[in-house]
Amino acid sequence: MTKNYGFELGRKKDLCLAELKSLLGAKSYRETLHGIAIFETEKDDLQQFLNRLGGTIKIIEIIEECSLSELKNTIQRLLEAEFADASGKIPF
């Protein structure tokens, strides 16, 4: 089953992206947003795959996609619910 993953690109972003395209296939590349390259792949042992990569910092599994405004609204709603009874400083 194919899933979407984000690969946080290292300092030499073009080189990191070229490495990922060569290993995952250029056809599986979707886009790059804020230094994270999105790929669709069937790979399941991502830790072993990450160990092979020279410039990728981390791999992120994308479980759901939404717009930025939807994300902001969801985060605001969750934080308001979590800290509704809090007073004073909120420890993180």
Side-chain angles (χ1 to χ4, degrees):
M1 181 171 135
T2 61
K3 293 182 181 180
N4 287 322
Y5 291 95
F7 295 83
E8 185 178 351
L9 304 174
R11 191 169 41 95
K12 302 284 186 182
K13 294 187 183 347
D14 292 337
L15 185 59
C16 295
L17 184 57
E19 178 184 40
L20 287 166
K21 284 181 178 179
S22 72
L23 292 172
L24 295 172
K27 289 183 179 183
S28 65
Y29 173 71
R30 298 292 169 248
E31 62 184 321
T32 300
L33 300 167
H34 306 288
I36 299 185
I38 311 296
F39 282 84
E40 186 176 320
T41 182
E42 293 182 5
K43 287 202 173 294
D44 56 355
D45 190 0
L46 293 175
Q47 183 59 53
Q48 184 179 16
F49 183 65
L50 180 62
N51 294 342
R52 289 184 55 204
L53 297 172
T56 299
I57 297 170
K58 65 179 83 164
I59 301 174
I60 305 150
E61 181 179 1
I62 299 171
I63 54 174
E64 188 174 335
E65 294 183 42
C66 65
S67 69
L68 186 57
S69 63
E70 289 174 315
L71 179 61
K72 287 179 181 179
N73 290 338
T74 300
I75 291 171
Q76 181 177 350
R77 200 169 12 87
L78 290 171
L79 288 173
E80 287 172 352
E82 181 68 28
F83 298 108
D85 298 330
S87 62
K89 289 186 177 183
I90 300 172
F92 283 96

